């Protein structure tokens, strides 16, 4: 009986592990595909916010509009003509909670972009190209930038985007001179 129960428990472990898997989002860009694992236990509001935008198709056709080599790539707010897409209401800053869970602005981690107002993040996000510890809580403004996931496949695509030629477009700086388009963003089934 004991052997049977141990076997049953062992057979159920993969099921429960998969059932509790972190959500994953695939960004198909004109430069390649990026797969991101999200960490709801570290930044639940940020993850839920991002997933709502993904599921609604909000990011489809938008661009990485700000690229700074050796720093980060930012997207999720503008189309290729630099028209800003209307977003939902801002969310609260979760940088402190995320850092407590070990989710920070390290290479490959995705974080919420915001203005000088710490609670102004909406749809825009950035992917860190390097260790950007200075963006972690408390940062210079006492808040920091909330990291909420990590690139688990396609970091070479992120790096390539991070080295594209950029320039000024109207009032915008560090804009890729050839548009880096997010063709589709979708939730994918997490692989065990």
């Amino acid at each position: 009986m004991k052997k049977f129960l141990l076997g049953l428990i062992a057979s159920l472990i993969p099921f429960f592990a998969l059932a509790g898997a972190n959500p994953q989002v695939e960004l198909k860009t004109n430069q390649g595909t990026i797969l991101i694992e999200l960490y709801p236990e570290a930044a639940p509001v940020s993850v839920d916010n991002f997933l709502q935008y993904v599921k609604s198709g909000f990011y489809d056709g938008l661009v990485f509009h700000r690229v700074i080599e050796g720093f980060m790539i930012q997207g999720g707010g503008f189309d290729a003509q630099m028209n800003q897409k209307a977003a939902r209401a801002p969310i609260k800053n979760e940088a402190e909670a995320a850092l407590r869970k070990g989710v920070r602005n390290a290479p490959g981690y995705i974080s919420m972009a915001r203005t000088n107002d710490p609670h102004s993040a909406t749809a825009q996000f950035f992917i860190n190209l390097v260790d950007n510890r200075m963006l972690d809580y408390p940062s210079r403004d006492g808040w920091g930038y909330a990291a909420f996931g990590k690139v688990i496949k396609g970091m070479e695509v992120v790096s390539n985007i991070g080295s594209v030629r950029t320039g000024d477009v109207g009032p915008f700086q560090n804009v890729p001179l050839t548009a880096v388009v997010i063709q589709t963003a979708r939730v994918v089934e997490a692989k065990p």
Side-chain angles (χ1 to χ4, degrees), residues 23-25 34-39 103-104 106-111 127 147-153 155:
Q24 295 181 2
V25 169
I34 303 164
L35 183 63
I36 301 165
E37 180 178 23
L38 305 177
Y39 303 128
V103 180
R104 51 177 301 277
Y109 279 78
I110 184 171
S111 300
I127 301 173
F148 63 95
K150 183 180 183 185
V151 174
I152 57 171
K153 189 174 180 188
M155 194 58 197

Side-chain angles (χ1 to χ4, degrees), residues 6-177:
L6 288 174
L8 180 63
I9 291 169
S11 70
L12 290 175
I13 288 174
F15 170 77
F16 287 114
L18 185 60
N22 289 327
Q24 295 181 2
V25 169
E26 177 187 79
L27 300 179
K28 278 194 179 174
T29 77
N30 61 343
Q31 302 294 310
T33 301
I34 303 164
L35 183 63
I36 301 165
E37 180 178 23
L38 305 177
Y39 303 128
E41 72 284 351
V45 174
S46 300
V47 167
D48 182 60
N49 177 68
F50 185 69
L51 287 172
Q52 285 182 45
Y53 281 113
V54 168
K55 291 174 183 175
S56 73
F58 181 90
Y59 294 123
D60 298 357
L62 297 184
V63 297
F64 281 96
H65 64 276
R66 185 170 175 236
V67 171
I68 302 175
E69 191 170 7
F71 181 44
M72 59 89 216
I73 65 173
Q74 182 174 336
F78 293 85
D79 65 19
Q81 291 73 45
M82 294 304 290
N83 298 308
Q84 188 166 11
K85 193 168 183 179
R88 294 189 319 271
I91 60 171
K92 73 174 186 167
N93 187 313
E94 296 181 294
E96 182 179 9
L99 185 62
R100 277 198 310 263
K101 294 283 189 177
V103 180
R104 51 177 301 277
N105 288 283
Y109 279 78
I110 184 171
S111 300
M112 294 304 302
R114 62 174 177 83
T115 66
N116 288 333
D117 175 352
H119 305 291
S120 61
T122 56
Q124 292 187 42
F125 60 88
F126 63 92
I127 301 173
N128 293 279
L129 296 171
V130 296
D131 189 342
N132 288 318
R133 190 173 302 269
M134 73 280 197
L135 300 178
D136 291 339
Y137 173 85
S139 191
R140 63 182 174 271
D141 65 0
W143 288 95
Y145 293 76
F148 63 95
K150 183 180 183 185
V151 174
I152 57 171
K153 189 174 180 188
M155 194 58 197
E156 71 284 354
V157 176
V158 173
S159 297
N160 289 341
I161 294 170
S163 63
V164 300
R165 284 189 55 224
T166 61
D168 296 344
V169 175
F172 304 101
Q173 299 174 326
N174 309 114
V175 179
L177 298 178

